[in-house]
Amino acid sequence: MIDIEIAAASRCGCVRYQNEDMILVGAQFIRDDDFTGHVSVEDDGRYLLAIADGMGGHSSGDVASSDTLHNLQFFFHDIPAGLDAGGFNEKLVDWHESINTFLMSKGRSEEQYQDMGTTLIGLAYYGGNFYSMQCGDSRLYRFRNGELTQLTIDHSLNNLLGVEKHSCILTNCIGGGCTTSYIDIVQLSADVQDQDVYMMCSDGLTDMIDNERIASILAEGGDADALCNAAIEAGGLDNVSVCIARLTLQEAIQN
């Protein structure tokens, strides 16, 4: 059994007039709101946390992020039980292809949705294993023993060119006119430890405050709301969404 303590918050920044981010926590969808709670998941169970950041340079980013997470939530719970890592990966690749086609088709058929797109970052528990899923530049971090480690690599132009500074020019996303879209899926279970903290965020957080500041807030017991507030206080040039999951593993629960 896994016990997951969750804190999530999604905020409109100081510049944009609407929030195009959305967070998925289990079966709940969060935008312009926050969430705290915990869930216990059996070894053969499943649970999903994800953030979609609607692309700010495109129309209807809020629709793209909502469509993507609602579709993912339904699909994830419809995946057959008992798949190995390869089978689970194949199912998510199939889903990604279908949602990318859906967003692109919706954009072609309705002008107001033309080129709408979104990034995606997710943390899934399925069949006793943890998986990350990523498309775009939203990030997954691990906070362990006071050290913050970025577990994903941005799908961005600057990263492709080897430039450390974040770039808003994406090389991969869902929809948004991206005809070569792909999803990175990584099994994390081999390196998951009791009391690990996993943090997902849109780039509205990491563009405003650096990793050192994020680690300091987490070390002080700050939650998703505190991180969002720090980004907004630093200028809030984009919408900001954060989802934090603290894991308690079966052995620790039994003890």
Side-chain angles (χ1 to χ4, degrees):
M1 179 180 291
I2 300 288
D3 190 78
I4 311 173
E5 183 181 349
I6 304 162
S10 179
R11 301 277 184 266
C12 192
C14 302
V15 175
R16 301 190 184 279
Y17 68 92
Q18 69 176 2
N19 189 354
E20 296 180 324
D21 292 1
M22 181 171 277
I23 304 175
L24 171 62
V25 177
Q28 298 191 52
F29 300 90
I30 300 162
R31 174 181 283 156
D32 297 321
D33 203 354
D34 54 22
F35 170 91
T36 57
H38 76 275
V39 62
S40 295
V41 188
E42 298 293 337
D43 289 347
D44 60 351
R46 64 186 74 190
Y47 201 76
L48 179 63
L49 302 165
I51 295 177
D53 178 357
M55 294 169 59
H58 296 268
S59 60
S60 302
D62 58 326
V63 176
S65 59
S66 178
D67 282 355
T68 296
L69 290 189
H70 279 82
N71 189 286
L72 176 60
Q73 193 271 342
F74 177 83
F75 182 91
F76 178 73
H77 287 281
D78 204 41
I79 294 175
L83 297 178
D84 61 13
F88 181 72
N89 187 303
E90 289 178 5
K91 289 294 184 182
L92 286 178
V93 169
D94 290 343
W95 167 80
H96 169 264
E97 292 177 354
S98 69
I99 189 61
N100 192 61
T101 299
F102 173 79
L103 292 189
M104 302 272 275
S105 298
K106 192 170 183 176
R108 286 192 295 268
S109 62
E110 301 181 60
E111 185 176 355
Q112 69 266 35
Y113 300 135
Q114 185 177 2
D115 287 338
M116 70 175 180
T118 184
T119 70
L120 175 73
I121 187 68
L123 180 66
Y125 181 75
Y126 168 87
N129 290 301
F130 283 96
Y131 300 86
S132 66
M133 57 185 77
Q134 180 204 7
C135 183
D137 62 352
S138 294
R139 295 177 178 177
L140 174 67
Y141 289 85
R142 182 187 64 223
F143 185 65
R144 177 190 292 168
N145 299 325
E147 182 178 350
L148 186 71
T149 303
Q150 183 177 339
L151 300 180
T152 53
I153 299 173
D154 294 351
H155 301 159
S156 67
L157 180 61
N158 275 7
N159 185 70
L160 190 65
L161 298 175
V163 179
E164 290 188 6
K165 184 179 179 180
H166 175 255
S167 169
C168 62
I169 302 175
L170 298 180
T171 56
N172 185 34
C173 64
I174 299 173
C178 185
T179 58
T180 58
S181 181
Y182 61 94
I183 186 168
D184 279 339
I185 305 161
V186 178
Q187 185 175 345
L188 304 173
S189 300
D191 194 33
V192 172
Q193 297 182 14
D194 183 52
Q195 298 305 305
D196 274 352
V197 174
Y198 288 86
M199 185 198 77
M200 291 174 288
C201 64
S202 62
D203 64 349
L205 178 72
T206 51
D207 280 350
M208 291 292 99
I209 59 176
D210 60 22
N211 288 356
E212 184 177 355
R213 176 66 175 140
I214 294 171
S216 175
I217 292 172
L218 291 173
E220 293 167 0
D223 58 9
D225 187 57
L227 287 165
C228 286
N229 289 339
I232 291 171
E233 290 169 3
L237 298 181
D238 198 355
N239 306 309
V240 54
S241 295
V242 178
C243 183
I244 299 172
R246 180 184 295 275
L247 308 183
T248 302
L249 304 187
Q250 183 177 22
E251 293 80 3
I253 294 173
Q254 290 176 340
N255 294 333

